[in-house]
Amino acid sequence: MKGVWPLLVVLCLLIDCINGEDAYVFFTWNVTYGDIYPFGVKQQGILINGQFPGPQIDSVTNDNLIISVFNSLDEPFLLSWNGVQQRRNSWQDGVYGTNCPIPPGQNFTYVLQVKDQIGSFFYFPSLAFHKAAGGFGGIKISSRSVIPVPFPPPAGDFTILAGDWFKQNHTDLKAILDSGHDLPFPDGLLINGRGSNGYTFTVDQGKTYRFRISNVGLTTSFNFRIEGHKMLLVEVEGTHTLQNTYDSFDIHLGQSVSILLTADQPAKAYSIVVSTRFTSQVLTATSVLKYSNSGGSVPGLPPGGPTTEIDWSLNQARSIRQNLTASGPRPNPQGSYHYGLVNTTRTIRLANSAPIINGKQRYAVNSVSFIPADTPLKLADYFSISGVFNLGSIPDNPTGGGGYLQTSVMAADFRGFVEVVFENSEDTVQSWHIDGHIFFVVGMDGGQWSSSSRLSYNLRDGISRSTIQVYPKSWTALYMPLDNVGMWNIRSANWVRQYLGQQFYLRVYSPANSWRDEYPIPKNALLCGRASGRKTRPL
C-alpha cells in the first residue's frame, strides 16, 4: 500500500486540475487626466489609478481577467490588449471595429481570458489618438507551475515600456493629423514614463534577471542595449526562442521581447539605453542598472548603437527562431505544430502607401484608406445591420492605383491557412500587428516579392508572434492559421499611419453559429450607432 498512496495522491491532483475552473483575477481601474512631466514640461496625461504608465497585469496561462474600467475622462475611451488573442472572443478586443467606446462618466467591464498564452504584452488606449497621452501598461502571462520553462527561474522580473514621445498634448497632435498634415519628429524617448536616468533597476551581483521590453511608441523603432552586458533572448510575444546572445536588439513599434541578463560585471552603475533606429536624427534615453553592492557611482556616456543600418537589423531579425523543443503554454513542444507542412488555402498580399486624398495626407493598404463607420463592425455583423460595411471592400492584392476612402473589411473562412505577404515600396520601416492570431514568420528580404521568393522560406522554425516589421523596399511573408472566429483588426503599429487609414478588418467566419467556435455577445456589451436600443441577450 505504501507504493500505492503516492499514485493516488497524484491521481487526485490531476482530477482536481481537470475539473477545476481557471482562476479569476479582478482589476478595478479609474481612467483620468492628470499632470505628467516626462521632459520637465507639464503635459496632460492619461492615468490609470493615478499611474503613468498604468498598473501591470500579472497573470498565469488561462486566467480569466475581469477588468472594470471607469472612464473619468471628458470623452469616450477604449482599451485594447496588444497580443492577447481573445480566443473566440473578439467582443473584448477593445478597438472601435469591435467595441463601442466607454462614454464619459460610465463604466465597462472587460471579461477576457489569456487562453493558452504565455509571455510579454501590453495594453493601450486605442481611440482618438489617446495613445499619445499614456494609458498604457504591461501584461505578463506566466506559465503554469506544471509546465517547464526552458531556463531557470530568474532572480527578478522587470518590465520596460519604452517609446518615442511628444511634448504636445494628444489633442494638439490629433488636430495636426485631422488637418491633413503629418506629425513633426518626436521630442524624445521615454522609459517607463520617464526621461533619461529617471528610472533605476537594482540587481544583485551574480544573479540573472528577466527584462520584458515593449515598444509602446507612436512612430519609431528603437535599439535596446545594456552597457557592458550581453543579453540572452528567450521569448518574443509569447513564443520561447532559440537562446541567442546579443549585444543590442532592435524592437519595432508594437513589439515585445524578453531577455535574460546576468549581473556578472564589476559592481557599479551601468546605462540601459534605447535609441531610435532608421532616423536621421537619433534620439536616446537611458535608465540605470545599479548593482546592489556598488557605491553611488553614476553611468558615464551611454554606449552608441546602430542607427540606419538596415542589413544589420534584417540579419538580426532572421536569427530569431522558435525553440522547437521548449513547451509553450501547454506541455507539448512548440515544434509539434508543423506549419511548413500545411497547405495554404489563400495568398493575401498587402502593400502600404501614403496617398494624398482630398488634399490631405492619408495612409492606405492596397490603395484603401480606412475610415471608421458609424457603428462598430462586429455589432453591425451580429445584428445584420446593412450599409455599415461591405465584405470584400479591400482587395487581396495591391492595385497600384490611387488611394481612396473606404470602411474596408476582408472576408475569410474559419480554419483556413493563409499566406500573408506585406510589401513595402516606401523608404520607411513598417510595423504590422494582427489581432486575434499568431503567425509564423517564414521570410523577409529586400526587393519585390514573387512566387519564387517562397524558395527561401523557413518552413521549420520561423518565430511565431503577432507583430512584425517590414524593412524599406522589402517584403515580409507569414503563414497564419485562421483559427479564431471574429472581426479582427489588421493595422500599422505606427500610430500616425493607423489613425490616418493604414488598417482594415478581417472577418473570420464560421457558418456553424456555435459557442464552440465563438462566444455569444456579452450581456454587458455597450451598444451605439445603429445598434443603439437593441438587446444583447437575457441576463
Side-chain angles (χ1 to χ4, degrees), residues 223-237:
N223 180 265
F224 180 88
R225 52 199 182 274
I226 301 178
E227 178 188 6
H229 294 74
K230 302 287 187 181
M231 301 182 297
L232 189 70
L233 183 69
V234 294
E235 177 250 334
V236 167
E237 293 166 26

Side-chain angles (χ1 to χ4, degrees), residues 13-34:
L13 287 172
L14 287 173
I15 293 172
D16 184 60
C17 289
I18 293 169
N19 293 330
E21 190 173 8
D22 293 315
Y24 283 76
V25 187
F26 295 86
F27 304 86
T28 300
W29 289 352
N30 185 30
V31 181
T32 62
Y33 288 126

Side-chain angles (χ1 to χ4, degrees), residues 307-451:
T307 54
T308 60
E309 302 89 341
I310 291 173
D311 287 346
W312 183 95
S313 187
L314 174 62
N315 289 331
Q316 183 182 82
R318 287 171 170 162
S319 73
I320 305 170
R321 302 294 183 93
Q322 189 172 180
N323 187 335
L324 298 180
T325 60
S327 295
R330 297 189 179 195
N332 51 303
Q334 293 181 149
S336 60
Y337 180 69
H338 301 288
Y339 69 90
L341 300 179
V342 182
N343 292 325
T344 56
T345 57
R346 179 179 176 186
T347 295
I348 301 171
R349 295 169 52 209
L350 302 172
N352 48 273
S353 59
I356 302 297
I357 303 176
N358 299 329
K360 293 185 176 182
Q361 178 66 67
R362 297 288 300 184
Y363 295 97
V365 189
N366 287 358
S367 301
V368 186
S369 187
F370 182 86
I371 51 172
D374 60 8
T375 304
L377 309 178
K378 182 63 182 170
L379 292 178
D381 198 29
Y382 177 78
F383 290 116
S384 299
I385 302 172
S386 62
V388 175
F389 70 90
N390 293 313
L391 288 174
S393 45
I394 179 172
D396 278 19
N397 296 286
T399 66
Y404 59 96
L405 303 176
Q406 180 69 261
T407 303
S408 40
V409 181
M410 183 179 288
D413 294 327
F414 182 44
R415 296 201 175 99
F417 190 78
V418 297
E419 175 188 39
V420 180
V421 183
F422 289 109
E423 301 180 17
N424 177 19
S425 62
E426 298 184 65
D427 292 324
T428 57
V429 174
Q430 305 292 311
S431 188
W432 290 90
H433 178 82
I434 301 179
D435 278 351
H437 295 79
I438 61 167
F439 48 71
F440 298 88
V441 183
V442 295
M444 55 175 63
D445 206 350
Q448 179 64 46
W449 180 89
S450 68
S451 58

Side-chain angles (χ1 to χ4, degrees), residues 149-162:
V149 175
F151 49 86
D157 196 312
F158 300 118
T159 293
I160 290 181
L161 304 174

Side-chain angles (χ1 to χ4, degrees), residues 56-67:
Q56 177 159 298
I57 294 175
D58 289 322
S59 61
V60 177
T61 301
N62 294 346
D63 276 357
N64 296 281
L65 308 181
I66 315 299
I67 306 170

